[in-house]
Amino acid sequence: MGKDKSKGTFDVSKAGPIRSIDYKLSRAIYDLFDGETMKLIPNWLGLIPYEIYILPGMYLAIIQVLWLGSPNPIQFHLLPHWFAYSIFQLLKGSIKTPRPGCWIPGMKKFIDESHCSHGHEWQSFPSGHTGIAASLATALFMEMLYSEDPHFFEINIKSMGTRRLIAYTGVFVAFMIGIHRVSKGYHSLFDSMTGCLIGCCIGFISWTSLEYFKKLYSRLCEERGGSKGSKDKDLDEDLCDNYTFAQKDDELGYWVNDYDMFNLKLFKEPEIDKAIGIIRIILSIPVLYLLVKFFVKDFWNLASIKH
């Protein structure tokens, strides 16, 4: 790899033949987006929409899960996001690979300096940004084009044109994030492509794992004919009420129907009802703090955010 472990330095001239080709291709992409106008494209079309969807989108998804109890944001956002983040953090901490922008002359112009210190300079493989973007793009793509009842942050999306627009916008932003990570010196092309591949696999398995149970529930309620007017003795509602609301394109109405802050639809036990209300308040405080912090502080220095 060309790394001198005794001195903690990296000599690109000592890289193996495959890595040498990788660095040459990475440098070509870097040079392509080094112009005055071209250098802005990966930021505006990749980094900015990515960070807005990743962080405020995550906070919005958490709030919806907390206060509504809906599983939809878990399926297309939270699970693929956190699953990918965990995997990539473990991989990057275990596989020491130099960041091109920290070591290769001519590729140090754009990289945020915080990525070249405290061990981050050896965390190029695989690209976490690209992997998380690919994971979320894949889950969103599956939700829009393969779900029988697609949702986007509890908004029911029925128009196929709108579904395609959302799905392919996610894919495009993920692609541009890959370009951003290479063109700014954070990762080599190989590291970014590997992150993309792993991320796509995580997004696919995250979405399909939960879709199985959603489809099974829908099939059972479809065979039953929806709500029958008979209430479950423990839940005080028909088990297919959610399905019935969804058939009317009003699944959000199901979650807000007879809403009580100290109530969880899954249980009718006083202790749990009290606990869910307290938990909603406690967890909302740090989430809202992080949301405000993002727009007040983090948004103006997106390159320093590490994933």
Side-chain angles (χ1 to χ4, degrees):
M1 187 63 68
K3 175 182 175 182
D4 186 342
K5 295 182 180 180
S6 63
K7 297 181 179 179
T9 60
F10 171 71
D11 186 353
V12 68
S13 66
K14 296 180 181 179
I18 296 178
R19 270 298 183 180
S20 294
I21 296 173
D22 177 34
Y23 290 140
K24 288 178 181 178
L25 293 174
S26 302
R27 179 59 187 269
I29 295 173
Y30 183 95
D31 292 339
L32 177 64
F33 289 93
D34 192 16
E36 196 62 33
T37 301
M38 292 291 288
K39 69 180 182 181
L40 299 176
I41 293 177
N43 288 338
W44 286 101
L45 299 183
L47 184 65
I48 293 176
Y50 164 82
E51 291 292 357
I52 290 175
Y53 184 69
I54 284 287
L55 294 177
M58 177 180 68
Y59 304 144
L60 176 59
I62 293 173
I63 291 296
Q64 288 180 331
V65 172
L66 271 178
W67 290 92
L68 296 179
S70 171
N72 292 318
I74 296 176
Q75 183 182 18
F76 79 87
H77 200 295
L78 296 181
L79 180 57
H81 185 172
W82 293 345
F83 187 174
Y85 179 82
S86 299
I87 291 294
F88 284 106
Q89 286 301 306
L90 290 170
L91 286 174
K92 291 167 69 174
S94 302
I95 305 173
K96 305 300 182 182
T97 309
R99 292 187 186 273
C102 298
W103 303 102
I104 300 178
M107 295 187 69
K108 301 180 179 182
K109 183 177 179 180
F110 300 114
I111 191 169
D112 183 80
E113 61 182 15
S114 66
H115 286 74
C116 293
S117 60
H118 304 296
H120 296 295
E121 65 271 29
W122 299 108
Q123 295 185 353
S124 180
F125 180 87
S127 170
H129 277 71
T130 308
I132 295 173
S135 178
L136 284 167
T138 301
L140 185 60
F141 186 90
M142 298 297 294
E143 176 71 15
M144 290 297 108
L145 300 185
Y146 291 93
S147 174
E148 295 177 353
D149 187 30
H151 287 75
F152 185 70
F153 292 104
E154 286 313 298
I155 301 173
N156 188 260
I157 310 296
K158 286 297 183 182
S159 168
M160 180 54 72
T162 303
R163 290 162 63 177
R164 289 196 181 103
L165 177 63
I166 294 173
Y168 289 109
T169 297
V171 172
F172 176 75
V173 171
F175 171 78
M176 289 306 301
I177 273 293
I179 293 296
H180 176 274
R181 306 316 286 172
V182 179
S183 66
K184 304 306 178 186
Y186 291 95
H187 302 279
S188 72
L189 179 61
F190 176 76
D191 299 340
S192 190
M193 291 176 63
T194 303
C196 179
L197 176 61
I198 297 173
C200 287
C201 294
I202 292 174
F204 181 82
I205 201 66
S206 297
W207 185 86
T208 53
S209 296
L210 293 182
E211 186 65 11
Y212 168 80
F213 296 100
K214 289 175 64 177
K215 282 184 177 292
L216 181 61
Y217 170 75
S218 296
R219 294 289 185 272
L220 292 173
C221 289
E222 185 179 358
E223 292 176 1
R224 183 179 180 228
S227 299
K228 293 293 188 179
S230 59
K231 294 185 177 182
D232 181 272
K233 62 179 181 179
D234 296 322
L235 301 182
D236 196 31
E237 69 172 58
D238 191 286
L239 294 176
C240 287
D241 276 354
N242 181 277
Y243 171 81
T244 302
F245 273 89
Q247 294 304 299
K248 300 175 183 178
D249 297 336
D250 187 27
E251 188 173 351
L252 180 61
Y254 167 78
W255 296 109
V256 300
N257 185 43
D258 297 327
Y259 185 81
D260 186 344
M261 182 176 121
F262 290 91
N263 177 268
L264 192 63
K265 286 184 176 291
L266 185 61
F267 296 96
K268 289 297 178 182
E269 299 181 19
E271 296 80 6
I272 293 181
D273 286 343
K274 291 179 182 178
I276 188 61
I278 295 172
I279 289 170
R280 282 169 170 164
I281 295 172
I282 292 174
L283 291 183
S284 293
I285 294 172
V287 172
L288 292 175
Y289 164 77
L290 290 171
L291 180 62
V292 172
K293 175 178 175 289
F294 176 84
F295 287 108
V296 172
K297 181 180 179 181
D298 297 339
F299 182 78
W300 310 106
N301 194 23
L302 293 179
S304 65
I305 299 176
K306 299 178 180 65
H307 295 296

